[in-house]
Amino acid sequence: MIDNPVPWPNGARCAVAFTFDIDTDSFLHLSFGAKMPDMVATTSWARYDEIALPRILQIYRDFGLKQTFFYPAWCMERYPQLVEDILKEGHELAHHGYIHESMSRLPSREIEVELIVRGVEVFEKLTGERPRGFRAPNYHFSRYTASILAELGFQYDASLMDDDVPSVYETAGGSLIGLPSSGALDDWAQYVNNSEVGSVRSIKSPDEAAKTYMAEFEAAYKYGGMWIGVWHPWVSGRLARAEAMRDMIQRMQGRGDVWFTTMRGIASHVEGLIARREWVPRRVKLPYYDKPLPVDEIPPQTGRETR
């Protein structure tokens, strides 16, 4: 099913990373502006990060895990104690925009560069080093994002959904390791129901969500892929969901041949394999398109499908 599986360390069958995006209330300021101070209940929902993150860190401590947290730089400045708690535990922090802005909706490449660099500066100030990884907020990855990341010396990107194993993204600014995930491993679709932010759906029970997550794990384990969760503390850190997370980790660890690591750990392993010529990655040229299709290649739209 996977033509080119990665030789994972120590004969592991697959790689697993429970990554969290710590957005807190950044996206509310960005999306709602002057209305945001009156969104008190929704803000309290997003700020559950302050309760959930210590709980998640305790779970990782109990299982001996080091994992990756993707952070908007504004949140790092706003909630520095959470940053300190993560760093004290030896986890990785990675770049998740400045204030959760959508890269594909910014008006220019120059502004995208400015915001990513601003985030890098915050990382350097608060952690003492530059971030090695990036995940675009909302997965909104522009035609410029990959080349900007390569030019700025990032090691990997975790924004796309183009494969089951790592690949190399080749850009005009250089190359970087691609660590894709899947919408099936994002907790938003499972749990988020909030009319004020425009997300109205049926909330799944933790057991139902875990069935989806574990089905993806079983396939990754069988065929040598990756399992990369894209979760949020204020979503998956709630009590019942956190308990389900503990159960999933225990079940995965029980296999004995699953590699739990940070995103940086996966990227560094892949780079080593490539350098030693022990594995040949798929190479993907980005962006897929650098300009829209010519008008004459796009047929007129009728508003309904014709057969």
Side-chain angles (χ1 to χ4, degrees), residues 197-228:
V197 301
S199 179
V200 180
R201 67 191 76 210
S202 297
I203 295 177
K204 304 292 180 60
S205 72
D207 286 346
E208 290 176 295
K211 285 181 180 179
T212 298
Y213 300 145
M214 289 303 295
E216 295 292 323
F217 167 75
E218 293 296 347
Y221 181 84
K222 184 175 182 178
Y223 297 111
M226 296 187 300
W227 189 100
I228 297 175

Side-chain angles (χ1 to χ4, degrees), residues 8 23 27 51 53 67 80 93-94 99 139 174 178 189 230 233 277 288:
W8 300 116
D23 306 333
F27 68 104
I51 303 300
L53 182 59
Q67 296 290 278
L93 290 177
I99 191 168
Y139 308 105
V230 184
R277 300 184 179 181
Y288 298 117

Side-chain angles (χ1 to χ4, degrees), residues 1-258:
M1 296 284 281
I2 294 178
D3 293 334
N4 189 27
V6 179
W8 300 116
N10 302 315
R13 296 288 296 273
C14 66
V16 167
F18 281 80
T19 75
F20 277 88
D21 296 354
I22 309 186
D23 306 333
T24 318
D25 52 358
S26 60
F27 68 104
L28 297 177
H29 291 283
L30 192 65
S31 298
F32 298 101
K35 182 183 176 184
M36 196 273 187
D38 291 315
M39 299 172 66
V40 177
T42 295
T43 302
S44 73
W45 172 62
R47 288 184 64 159
Y48 191 78
D49 275 4
E50 296 173 287
I51 303 300
L53 182 59
R55 178 177 297 152
I56 292 162
L57 292 175
Q58 180 63 54
I59 291 172
Y60 288 163
R61 194 178 309 125
D62 290 345
F63 287 100
L65 302 183
K66 303 299 181 187
Q67 296 290 278
T68 300
F69 295 87
F70 289 88
Y71 236 123
W74 179 89
C75 295
M76 296 175 69
E77 294 177 307
R78 187 78 174 183
Y79 306 102
Q81 181 56 49
L82 299 183
V83 175
E84 293 174 14
D85 291 344
I86 292 169
L87 292 176
K88 281 191 297 187
E89 298 286 344
H91 299 290
E92 179 192 10
L93 290 177
H95 200 306
H96 194 44
Y98 179 70
I99 191 168
H100 208 266
E101 64 280 352
S102 292
M103 301 299 163
S104 60
R105 296 179 182 175
L106 295 174
S108 69
R109 188 184 196 277
E110 290 71 26
I111 291 176
E112 185 172 352
V113 171
E114 177 185 338
L115 288 168
I116 293 175
V117 168
R118 186 187 301 180
V120 169
E121 292 171 350
V122 171
F123 268 82
E124 290 180 316
K125 176 182 176 182
L126 295 182
T127 73
E129 62 180 15
R130 297 171 68 88
R132 302 292 291 150
F134 180 86
R135 177 179 285 149
N138 302 312
Y139 308 105
H140 290 175
F141 200 84
S142 84
R143 74 184 77 176
Y144 309 117
T145 309
S147 62
I148 293 170
L149 297 176
E151 289 168 8
L152 291 175
F154 279 79
Q155 179 186 29
Y156 70 85
D157 172 74
S159 309
L160 306 185
M161 303 186 187
D162 61 323
D163 210 329
D164 305 295
V165 294
S167 56
V168 173
Y169 297 150
E170 296 183 333
T171 82
S175 63
L176 63 159
I177 302 296
L179 301 180
S181 187
S182 163
L185 296 180
D186 192 315
D187 60 2
W188 192 275
Q190 303 292 335
Y191 295 134
V192 175
N193 185 325
N194 185 300
S195 60
E196 212 164 23
V197 301
S199 179
V200 180
R201 67 191 76 210
S202 297
I203 295 177
K204 304 292 180 60
S205 72
D207 286 346
E208 290 176 295
K211 285 181 180 179
T212 298
Y213 300 145
M214 289 303 295
E216 295 292 323
F217 167 75
E218 293 296 347
Y221 181 84
K222 184 175 182 178
Y223 297 111
M226 296 187 300
W227 189 100
I228 297 175
V230 184
W231 293 5
H232 305 78
W234 48 270
V235 177
S236 289
R238 293 276 174 176
L239 279 172
R241 300 166 189 175
E243 186 175 47
M245 175 184 166
R246 289 186 64 96
D247 180 65
M248 288 174 56
I249 294 172
Q250 191 168 33
R251 291 162 64 188
M252 292 176 179
Q253 282 192 336
R255 298 294 178 88
D257 51 0
V258 175

Side-chain angles (χ1 to χ4, degrees), residues 281-300:
R282 186 171 74 102
R283 294 185 175 271
V284 180
K285 185 178 182 301
L286 291 179
Y288 298 117
Y289 302 96
D290 59 4
K291 58 185 176 182
L293 292 178
V295 174
D296 59 5
E297 289 189 30
I298 304 175

